[in-house]
Amino acid sequence: MENAAVMESLIEQFVDQSAILALSRFVATEDETEAKENALKVSGAFNAQEAFREIAENKIAERNLVQSFHKNLQLLVQKTWVEQSDAELKEQVLFRLNELCKNISEKPYSDSYLPFFNMLSDAVYLMFGVQTQSAEFGEYAMRIDPEFGIFWWYISKLPKEKKWSDEKCRLALLLGMYFLANY
């Protein structure tokens, strides 16, 4: 519990209180209009409100985001040096990233919700190592790279099981993809 308090204190130093509250509301609401309003407020934590509004409302901008996310995360993973024991995981992550982006363009976002988190967890492991498996990773990320720490805070607040409407899954994933497309 002490770690959670430290993390929240760090988040409050970098993220506006309205975005923190909006994330709680986004997670809790079942109303898609309210979810969108809160996702737009959360996007402020990534300095992306106007850009994210365009992505949330424009299919071409959304498609461009998915392509940018795919290319950037692929590059991040490819350029990450890994131990020989993680080389196979690296190839699996790249394969799953390709599949995820293909599925996003062909299937409902809700079908990609869990695969996104599974692939992301492994990609972050490749980038940061075993530290990602500790309870203190959020705090660690905030201290070494506050922007990534904010992203990880966002990801850690989302439920990992698929229980939302397709539109809410879409907004949650697009917001995560936005950060990674620009990281």
Side-chain angles (χ1 to χ4, degrees):
M1 192 60 139
E2 182 177 315
N3 184 44
V6 170
M7 185 61 187
E8 292 303 316
S9 175
L10 284 171
I11 285 297
E12 290 173 356
Q13 293 176 31
F14 293 96
V15 177
D16 186 82
Q17 190 63 36
S18 64
I20 294 170
L21 183 58
L23 181 54
S24 294
R25 289 179 177 160
F26 176 80
V27 170
T29 189
E30 295 295 323
D31 181 86
E32 289 182 0
T33 302
E34 185 179 348
K36 182 178 179 182
E37 291 169 4
N38 284 299
L40 289 169
K41 289 176 186 174
V42 172
S43 70
F46 301 133
N47 297 316
Q49 273 187 305
E50 290 310 310
F52 189 72
R53 180 182 307 282
E54 177 71 16
I55 291 161
E57 296 174 356
N58 181 307
K59 289 294 182 187
I60 294 171
E62 178 182 332
R63 186 172 51 242
N64 290 341
L65 171 68
V66 173
Q67 290 171 351
S68 293
F69 159 76
H70 183 220
K71 288 177 186 174
N72 202 45
L73 190 56
Q74 185 175 46
L75 183 63
L76 285 169
V77 171
Q78 287 172 340
K79 298 296 180 187
T80 298
W81 183 87
V82 297
E83 296 286 341
Q84 185 62 34
S85 59
D86 289 329
E88 186 177 326
L89 178 61
K90 184 175 181 177
E91 292 305 314
Q92 288 175 5
V93 167
L94 292 170
F95 176 79
R96 292 187 331 214
L97 174 62
N98 290 336
E99 290 297 304
L100 175 76
C101 292
K102 178 183 169 196
N103 288 340
I104 284 173
S105 67
E106 297 174 354
K107 297 180 179 178
Y109 273 87
S110 56
D111 289 355
S112 297
Y113 189 82
L114 185 58
F116 174 82
F117 286 106
N118 291 336
M119 181 275 309
L120 180 62
S121 176
D122 287 341
V124 171
Y125 168 80
L126 291 172
M127 291 188 285
F128 291 94
V130 295
Q131 180 69 27
T132 61
Q133 297 170 345
S134 78
E136 293 82 27
F137 178 66
E139 180 183 345
Y140 171 79
M142 284 297 295
R143 293 188 190 281
I144 64 165
D145 184 349
E147 287 182 357
F148 189 85
I150 292 167
F151 166 73
W152 198 251
W153 161 77
Y154 166 73
I155 291 297
S156 69
K157 294 294 185 179
L158 299 177
K160 302 311 179 264
E161 67 278 350
K162 182 177 81 173
K163 66 176 187 174
W164 289 339
S165 70
D166 190 61
E167 179 60 15
K168 192 167 173 183
C169 288
R170 175 182 165 269
L171 292 167
L173 294 185
L174 288 175
L175 195 50
M177 284 189 273
Y178 181 87
F179 174 82
L180 292 168
N182 295 288
Y183 185 64

mmCIF file of all heavy atoms in Angstrom, residues 46 65 72 147-149 151 174-183:
data_model
loop_
_atom_site.group_PDB
_atom_site.id
_atom_site.type_symbol
_atom_site.label_atom_id
_atom_site.label_comp_id
_atom_site.label_asym_id
_atom_site.label_seq_id
_atom_site.Cartn_x
_atom_site.Cartn_y
_atom_site.Cartn_z
ATOM 1 N N PHE A 46 -1.109 13.345 -21.643
ATOM 2 C CA PHE A 46 -0.127 13.079 -22.693
ATOM 3 C C PHE A 46 0.062 14.299 -23.598
ATOM 4 O O PHE A 46 0.643 14.192 -24.668
ATOM 5 C CB PHE A 46 -0.559 11.883 -23.548
ATOM 6 C CG PHE A 46 -0.748 10.607 -22.782
ATOM 7 C CD1 PHE A 46 -1.873 9.832 -22.973
ATOM 8 C CD2 PHE A 46 0.187 10.167 -21.855
ATOM 9 C CE1 PHE A 46 -2.056 8.643 -22.279
ATOM 10 C CE2 PHE A 46 0.018 8.983 -21.152
ATOM 11 C CZ PHE A 46 -1.111 8.222 -21.364
ATOM 12 N N LEU A 65 -3.003 6.689 -36.795
ATOM 13 C CA LEU A 65 -2.458 6.432 -35.461
ATOM 14 C C LEU A 65 -2.051 4.964 -35.318
ATOM 15 O O LEU A 65 -0.964 4.673 -34.826
ATOM 16 C CB LEU A 65 -3.463 6.790 -34.367
ATOM 17 C CG LEU A 65 -3.035 6.337 -32.958
ATOM 18 C CD1 LEU A 65 -1.821 7.140 -32.486
ATOM 19 C CD2 LEU A 65 -4.179 6.445 -31.981
ATOM 20 N N ASN A 72 6.271 2.560 -34.724
ATOM 21 C CA ASN A 72 7.115 3.031 -33.624
ATOM 22 C C ASN A 72 7.393 1.933 -32.599
ATOM 23 O O ASN A 72 8.529 1.772 -32.149
ATOM 24 C CB ASN A 72 6.513 4.263 -32.945
ATOM 25 C CG ASN A 72 7.570 5.053 -32.214
ATOM 26 O OD1 ASN A 72 8.659 5.296 -32.730
ATOM 27 N ND2 ASN A 72 7.260 5.452 -30.995
ATOM 28 N N GLU A 147 7.438 10.823 -18.594
ATOM 29 C CA GLU A 147 6.436 10.611 -19.638
ATOM 30 C C GLU A 147 6.028 9.145 -19.716
ATOM 31 O O GLU A 147 4.847 8.824 -19.799
ATOM 32 C CB GLU A 147 6.952 11.086 -20.991
ATOM 33 C CG GLU A 147 6.997 12.589 -21.119
ATOM 34 C CD GLU A 147 7.459 13.039 -22.492
ATOM 35 O OE1 GLU A 147 7.812 12.194 -23.347
ATOM 36 O OE2 GLU A 147 7.464 14.250 -22.716
ATOM 37 N N PHE A 148 7.017 8.252 -19.685
ATOM 38 C CA PHE A 148 6.690 6.826 -19.703
ATOM 39 C C PHE A 148 5.995 6.431 -18.408
ATOM 40 O O PHE A 148 5.074 5.610 -18.410
ATOM 41 C CB PHE A 148 7.932 5.950 -19.918
ATOM 42 C CG PHE A 148 7.555 4.514 -20.143
ATOM 43 C CD1 PHE A 148 7.209 4.077 -21.407
ATOM 44 C CD2 PHE A 148 7.498 3.624 -19.085
ATOM 45 C CE1 PHE A 148 6.815 2.760 -21.610
ATOM 46 C CE2 PHE A 148 7.116 2.307 -19.279
ATOM 47 C CZ PHE A 148 6.762 1.869 -20.550
ATOM 48 N N GLY A 149 6.393 7.026 -17.307
ATOM 49 C CA GLY A 149 5.746 6.752 -16.031
ATOM 50 C C GLY A 149 4.270 7.117 -16.045
ATOM 51 O O GLY A 149 3.436 6.388 -15.513
ATOM 52 N N PHE A 151 2.410 7.205 -18.752
ATOM 53 C CA PHE A 151 1.806 6.172 -19.602
ATOM 54 C C PHE A 151 1.565 4.898 -18.795
ATOM 55 O O PHE A 151 0.487 4.316 -18.847
ATOM 56 C CB PHE A 151 2.713 5.881 -20.804
ATOM 57 C CG PHE A 151 2.350 4.621 -21.533
ATOM 58 C CD1 PHE A 151 1.213 4.560 -22.321
ATOM 59 C CD2 PHE A 151 3.139 3.492 -21.421
ATOM 60 C CE1 PHE A 151 0.871 3.392 -22.986
ATOM 61 C CE2 PHE A 151 2.810 2.318 -22.082
ATOM 62 C CZ PHE A 151 1.667 2.266 -22.867
ATOM 63 N N LEU A 174 -6.780 3.280 -28.102
ATOM 64 C CA LEU A 174 -6.263 4.398 -28.894
ATOM 65 C C LEU A 174 -5.428 5.341 -28.042
ATOM 66 O O LEU A 174 -4.389 5.841 -28.496
ATOM 67 C CB LEU A 174 -7.404 5.169 -29.570
ATOM 68 C CG LEU A 174 -8.103 4.465 -30.722
ATOM 69 C CD1 LEU A 174 -9.286 5.303 -31.208
ATOM 70 C CD2 LEU A 174 -7.149 4.159 -31.867
ATOM 71 N N LEU A 175 -5.846 5.569 -26.826
ATOM 72 C CA LEU A 175 -5.083 6.453 -25.946
ATOM 73 C C LEU A 175 -3.723 5.848 -25.615
ATOM 74 O O LEU A 175 -2.695 6.529 -25.655
ATOM 75 C CB LEU A 175 -5.877 6.766 -24.676
ATOM 76 C CG LEU A 175 -5.391 7.918 -23.826
ATOM 77 C CD1 LEU A 175 -5.161 9.185 -24.635
ATOM 78 C CD2 LEU A 175 -6.380 8.193 -22.711
ATOM 79 N N GLY A 176 -3.689 4.548 -25.333
ATOM 80 C CA GLY A 176 -2.409 3.876 -25.107
ATOM 81 C C GLY A 176 -1.545 3.872 -26.353
ATOM 82 O O GLY A 176 -0.334 4.102 -26.296
ATOM 83 N N MET A 177 -2.164 3.623 -27.496
ATOM 84 C CA MET A 177 -1.420 3.626 -28.754
ATOM 85 C C MET A 177 -0.881 5.013 -29.070
ATOM 86 O O MET A 177 0.215 5.140 -29.625
ATOM 87 C CB MET A 177 -2.299 3.120 -29.899
ATOM 88 C CG MET A 177 -2.486 1.629 -29.880
ATOM 89 S SD MET A 177 -3.302 1.024 -31.369
ATOM 90 C CE MET A 177 -4.996 1.199 -30.893
ATOM 91 N N TYR A 178 -1.646 6.048 -28.715
ATOM 92 C CA TYR A 178 -1.186 7.416 -28.981
ATOM 93 C C TYR A 178 0.161 7.665 -28.311
ATOM 94 O O TYR A 178 1.082 8.170 -28.926
ATOM 95 C CB TYR A 178 -2.206 8.461 -28.521
ATOM 96 C CG TYR A 178 -1.724 9.851 -28.823
ATOM 97 C CD1 TYR A 178 -1.974 10.431 -30.053
ATOM 98 C CD2 TYR A 178 -0.964 10.561 -27.899
ATOM 99 C CE1 TYR A 178 -1.480 11.689 -30.365
ATOM 100 C CE2 TYR A 178 -0.461 11.816 -28.191
ATOM 101 C CZ TYR A 178 -0.729 12.375 -29.425
ATOM 102 O OH TYR A 178 -0.215 13.618 -29.738
ATOM 103 N N PHE A 179 0.246 7.302 -27.055
ATOM 104 C CA PHE A 179 1.510 7.525 -26.353
ATOM 105 C C PHE A 179 2.644 6.762 -27.045
ATOM 106 O O PHE A 179 3.702 7.325 -27.326
ATOM 107 C CB PHE A 179 1.434 7.118 -24.878
ATOM 108 C CG PHE A 179 2.775 7.228 -24.216
ATOM 109 C CD1 PHE A 179 3.219 8.450 -23.753
ATOM 110 C CD2 PHE A 179 3.609 6.135 -24.120
ATOM 111 C CE1 PHE A 179 4.484 8.584 -23.193
ATOM 112 C CE2 PHE A 179 4.875 6.252 -23.563
ATOM 113 C CZ PHE A 179 5.314 7.482 -23.090
ATOM 114 N N LEU A 180 2.421 5.491 -27.318
ATOM 115 C CA LEU A 180 3.476 4.665 -27.894
ATOM 116 C C LEU A 180 3.833 5.070 -29.325
ATOM 117 O O LEU A 180 4.984 4.909 -29.741
ATOM 118 C CB LEU A 180 3.090 3.192 -27.831
ATOM 119 C CG LEU A 180 3.042 2.627 -26.414
ATOM 120 C CD1 LEU A 180 2.366 1.261 -26.404
ATOM 121 C CD2 LEU A 180 4.438 2.554 -25.819
ATOM 122 N N ALA A 181 2.887 5.614 -30.043
ATOM 123 C CA ALA A 181 3.162 6.083 -31.406
ATOM 124 C C ALA A 181 4.072 7.306 -31.382
ATOM 125 O O ALA A 181 4.771 7.590 -32.357
ATOM 126 C CB ALA A 181 1.864 6.426 -32.122
ATOM 127 N N ASN A 182 4.086 7.997 -30.263
ATOM 128 C CA ASN A 182 4.857 9.236 -30.156
ATOM 129 C C ASN A 182 6.012 9.148 -29.169
ATOM 130 O O ASN A 182 6.642 10.163 -28.854
ATOM 131 C CB ASN A 182 3.918 10.384 -29.761
ATOM 132 C CG ASN A 182 2.917 10.659 -30.846
ATOM 133 O OD1 ASN A 182 3.260 11.185 -31.893
ATOM 134 N ND2 ASN A 182 1.681 10.257 -30.634
ATOM 135 N N TYR A 183 6.309 7.973 -28.673
ATOM 136 C CA TYR A 183 7.354 7.793 -27.656
ATOM 137 C C TYR A 183 8.709 7.678 -28.326
ATOM 138 O O TYR A 183 8.914 7.027 -29.280
ATOM 139 C CB TYR A 183 7.045 6.559 -26.796
ATOM 140 C CG TYR A 183 8.000 6.360 -25.649
ATOM 141 C CD1 TYR A 183 8.090 7.286 -24.626
ATOM 142 C CD2 TYR A 183 8.818 5.241 -25.597
ATOM 143 C CE1 TYR A 183 8.975 7.096 -23.559
ATOM 144 C CE2 TYR A 183 9.693 5.046 -24.546
ATOM 145 C CZ TYR A 183 9.779 5.985 -23.529
ATOM 146 O OH TYR A 183 10.640 5.795 -22.489
#
